[in-house]
Structures are given as structure tokens and as C-alpha cells.
Amino acid sequence: MTERQAYAGRGGPPYGMLRLGLRSGAVGRLLAVVPTPRRNPFALGYLAVVGATTTFAGLADPELVLRLQEASSSDGHNLLQHPLRALLLSGFWVAGPVWVPYLWAFALTVAPLERRVGPARAAAVFAAGHVLATLLSQGVVIVAVETGRLEPAAMDLLDIGVSYGVLASLGALAGLLRPAGRLAALALASVTIAEQISSDRDLVTGVGHPVALLTGVALWRWLRRWDGHRPRRGRAPDRAAASRPAELPRPAPAPARPY
């Protein structure tokens, strides 16, 4: 084999060594966690939708944007009148004009969770956190209004955003980490939630954010069954046959003696 053929078999100079260098060391580990459409279709697809609505909110007429957000809000009145629409559309907007922080939030929570358990289960965690936190937080508001503890205007306060899904993803991801990483993730989430509650003093935030985080924690046992799971191809082995003892080969018959 000539030197040129040897290089061709390895991808050719300098590309073969370049690929080898990228696959090894710190660069390889970094590339392994970068979100890509193949590894993170749910996270990147959801970010694309949220980015589109954020861009639209910044460019369109403010009155039109407000009407659309009010129609998508998961506030008490919308939940009582149009529950499915409110639960679905409220998660496609961000609370504020800035989108970049949510890019980092998805990259550090939803994307790594999706890589470990797959897009379908990551989407299920995100949806469970969004739905349960919304229903419980707005349920508290509805009860408080009915009992006279809050003004009826609290039923119409705008309630949109992806924070519930992100916190649920963070809580779920913590259960798949090592003990030190799990403790750090939960501590960071708890400090963030406590700071938001103390600064905003908003009933919906005070109820919804802890519920979202605990929703992800409650799914640890289910998700651990799928952590790093890859379906095997081919026919599954026969367990019954494997448990049976192997049969010894029968001795060959003795040759007949001539008379």
C-alpha cells in the first residue's frame, strides 16, 4: 500500500488527523453536548417557534400582539372558557421582549435531558410541567378570588411563558445526574425560585415555579428507565432457551464388526 492510499483510507491528510483531533479530548466532549437537529429536534424546534413569536412581538403592532397574547394567556378566565387553547398557546410566547436567556435555558436543561431520554420523553416532561404548574397556580388564584382574598382582576392577568417547562426539565435532569451534580442543580433551581418569589411577590409565580420543579423530580423513577436507552436491533433472545442447560453431543455409533 502506498502512502497516498494509506492516507486515503484514513480520510486523507490533513482531514483524517483533524477528525481524530476533534473526536478526542475536550473539543470532542464539547461537540458531543452541542445541540444539533439530529440530537435535539424537540429543543431546537421549540426554540424556533418561540424565537418566531418573539420576533413577531417585537415587529408587529403592539395592540395586535397584546390581543394575541391575551387570547393565548392561561389566566383564570381563559382556562375556564378555553382550557385547551390556553394551555397550548401560552407556552409559545416568552414573558418579555428578550429571547436569548431562554436559548441558554433550553441549552442547559431541555437539550441535555432530550439527549439522555429522547425527544418524546423530553417533550412529555416539558408538557407535564407546563400543564400541572399552570392548572395548580391558576387554581389557587381562582379559589382566592372566589373566597374574596383577591380582586376579580387577578383572573385576567397575563400568564404566558416557558418557565414552567424549563423548570420541569431541570428537575427531571437532576435525577439523571451524579449526586454532586444533582445537588448543585436542585440548589441552583431552589435559589432562583426563592429569589423570584421574594422579588416579584406574585401568587402565580410563587405556586407555579415550585410545582414545575417538583413535577420533574416526580418523574425521576420513570426517566431513569430510559436514561441512555437505545433500542436494540434484531430479534430478542429467547430467555427460555437461554435458561435451559446445553445438551451434550451424543456419541457416534460404533462401527459394525465384519463377520
Side-chain angles (χ1 to χ4, degrees), residues 174-187 220 224:
L176 305 180
L177 302 177
R178 295 180 178 179
R182 183 182 312 142
L183 182 61
L186 292 179
W220 282 0
R224 282 169 179 168

Side-chain angles (χ1 to χ4, degrees), residues 12 59 65 78 81 84 116 144 166 178 209 221:
L59 299 177
V65 173
N78 275 351
Q81 297 174 4
L84 294 180
R116 299 189 68 154
V166 170
R178 295 180 178 179
H209 284 182
R221 185 174 181 181

